[in-house]
């Protein structure tokens, strides 16, 4: 298809016999943000990842916290460090830490001590519709969570922001106060297109975050826009994000294997490449690799 070097900015790996992932354990139900995850509730290691991405000239990958039991967050990081030493992937790790935990400082220090850890993700998607929420309350309004966020810079850590657009305006003042903490928005900002003002909320939220130069965005998670997405249906979201953030702050990613719930990875990447075919080669190389290399400090020669 294309030989543009691809640094996959968002992947997950898991060994279900080694670490417990509550969301990947039966019983599986259709309600909840992802629907049934039965299809991906099996081991997914480096070999499985490379097989799924065989067509795409993967030269690097960033592993994002995969929803392990919080008590095993450090076990996940140690396991991934071992994988990387053995297989050369992942190149970097965005680990889990609960930013509202009273002991968050110790957690950040412990995670940051690992050589491949570059950042933290604490999923904060909250929605008035309980079936859409990942959290029982809106942590972004919690003073303890905000204080935990403020500590990331002290440990040289970035933050992977997975929230809903309605939460974005409230986060802008906090993120603006801490330009030392790079922020990478996950999955196009996860527009909720079934909400009455869902598209406008998404555009307004992203516009406010894009005004902050230390915020970037991942062009990924198309299945979260709509499980039955088509290239035509996701086109305005992908091009809209590129328009707001520019080609130097957009990072393509596969979200393997989670997004394989909704379509084969090849269909995602074909759609992404087709969509930006008219961009210059430099711009495409930036979005498919160089930006992730820079943002996650991978040190790859691209």
């Amino acid at each position: 298809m294309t030989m543009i070097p691809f640094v996959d900015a968002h992947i997950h790996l898991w060994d279900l016999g080694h670490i417990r992932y509550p969301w990947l354990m039966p019983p599986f139900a259709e309600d909840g943000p992802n629907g049934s995850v039965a299809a991906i509730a099996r081991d997914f290691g480096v070999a499985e990842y490379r097989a799924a991405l065989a067509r795409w000239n993967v030269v690097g990958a960033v592993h994002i916290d995969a929803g392990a039991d919080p008590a095993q967050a450090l076990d996940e990081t140690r396991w991934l460090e071992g994988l990387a030493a053995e297989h050369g992937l992942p190149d970097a790790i965005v680990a889990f830490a609960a930013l509202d935990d009273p002991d968050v400082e110790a957690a950040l220090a412990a995670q940051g001590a690992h050589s491949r850890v570059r950042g933290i993700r604490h999923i904060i998607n909250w929605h008035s519709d309980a079936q859409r929420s990942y959290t029982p309350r809106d942590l972004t309004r919690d003073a303890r969570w905000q204080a935990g966020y403020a500590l990331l810079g002290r440990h040289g850590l970035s933050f992977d922001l997975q929230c809903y657009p309605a939460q974005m305006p409230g986060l802008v003042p906090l993120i603006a106060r801490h330009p030392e903490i790079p922020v990478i928005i996950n999955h196009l900002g996860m527009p909720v297109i079934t909400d009455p003002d869902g598209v406008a909320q998404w555009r307004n939220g992203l516009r406010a975050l894009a005004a902050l130069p230390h915020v970037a965005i991942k062009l990924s998670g198309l299945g979260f826009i709509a499980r039955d997405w088509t290239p035509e249906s996701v086109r305005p979201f992908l091009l809209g994000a590129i328009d707001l953030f520019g080609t130097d702050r957009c990072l393509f990613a596969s979200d393997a294997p989670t997004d394989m719930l909704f379509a084969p990875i090849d269909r995602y990447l074909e759609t992404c490449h087709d969509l930006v075919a008219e961009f210059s080669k430099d711009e495409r190389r930036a979005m498919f690799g160089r930006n992730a290399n820079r943002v996650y400090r991978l040190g790859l020669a691209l």
Side-chain angles (χ1 to χ4, degrees):
M1 180 80 183
T2 178
M3 292 312 289
I4 285 183
F6 182 32
V7 178
D8 195 340
H10 198 110
I11 76 166
H12 304 294
L13 305 170
W14 46 68
D15 175 348
L16 302 183
H18 184 69
I19 291 170
R20 184 174 174 272
Y21 299 85
W23 70 288
L24 292 173
M25 298 173 71
F28 301 114
E30 283 297 334
D31 58 353
N34 298 310
S36 172
V37 297
I40 57 168
R42 53 176 180 262
D43 292 352
F44 192 79
V46 174
E48 289 84 0
Y49 170 77
R50 285 199 165 125
L53 276 288
R55 284 176 52 194
W56 300 101
N57 193 20
V58 174
V59 297
V62 181
H63 187 281
I64 311 300
D65 123 72
D69 183 323
Q72 289 194 284
L74 274 171
D75 294 335
E76 181 185 54
T77 298
R78 292 187 197 104
W79 175 70
L80 290 165
E81 289 275 6
L83 279 191
E86 185 177 352
H87 300 288
L89 280 181
D91 296 85
I93 300 166
V94 174
F96 173 80
L99 297 184
D100 60 330
D101 189 306
D103 295 323
V104 63
E105 182 96 66
L108 298 180
Q111 292 285 19
H114 290 87
S115 65
R116 289 176 181 83
V117 170
R118 297 290 186 272
I120 294 295
R121 181 170 78 159
H122 183 193
I123 291 177
I124 49 175
N125 293 76
W126 183 84
H127 194 278
S128 54
D129 176 355
Q131 286 199 350
R132 284 198 170 270
S133 273
Y134 289 63
T135 58
R137 60 197 174 90
D138 187 355
L139 287 167
T140 66
R141 299 170 181 272
D142 183 285
R144 180 181 277 172
W145 185 89
Q146 293 184 9
Y149 176 89
L151 297 173
L152 289 165
R154 187 184 301 177
H155 295 274
L157 295 166
S158 63
F159 184 65
D160 260 57
L161 171 61
Q162 185 172 318
C163 68
Y164 285 127
Q167 297 172 284
M168 291 174 183
L171 282 167
V172 167
L174 174 68
I175 292 171
R177 280 200 302 276
H178 294 283
E180 75 281 8
I181 304 169
V183 172
I184 306 95
I185 300 167
N186 286 193
H187 305 326
L188 282 166
M190 295 183 73
V192 186
I193 60 174
T194 52
D195 278 358
D197 300 314
V199 175
Q201 270 186 336
W202 172 79
R203 196 174 300 282
N204 293 336
L206 284 196
R207 185 178 288 114
L209 288 171
L212 305 174
H214 62 292
V215 179
I217 190 166
K218 291 186 200 181
L219 309 179
S220 62
L222 306 183
F224 294 118
I225 299 174
R227 294 179 197 174
D228 59 349
W229 69 271
T230 64
E232 295 73 30
S233 70
V234 297
R235 177 185 177 87
F237 296 98
L238 286 161
L239 289 177
I242 295 171
D243 188 48
L244 286 168
F245 283 85
T247 55
D248 59 338
R249 288 193 287 154
C250 289
L251 294 65
F252 277 112
S254 73
D255 190 32
T258 310
D259 251 276
M260 292 161 74
L261 288 168
F262 314 116
I265 288 300
D266 285 347
R267 193 187 305 164
Y268 286 93
L269 291 173
E270 284 165 9
T271 298
C272 293
H273 277 280
D274 289 348
L275 189 92
V276 297
E278 300 304 311
F279 286 77
S280 74
K281 187 171 184 182
D282 267 355
E283 289 172 321
R284 286 180 285 135
R285 287 187 69 123
M287 292 188 284
F288 278 103
R290 289 173 176 163
N291 295 342
N293 188 40
R294 181 188 75 247
V295 168
Y296 286 113
R297 296 164 283 152
L298 304 184
L300 302 171
L302 286 177

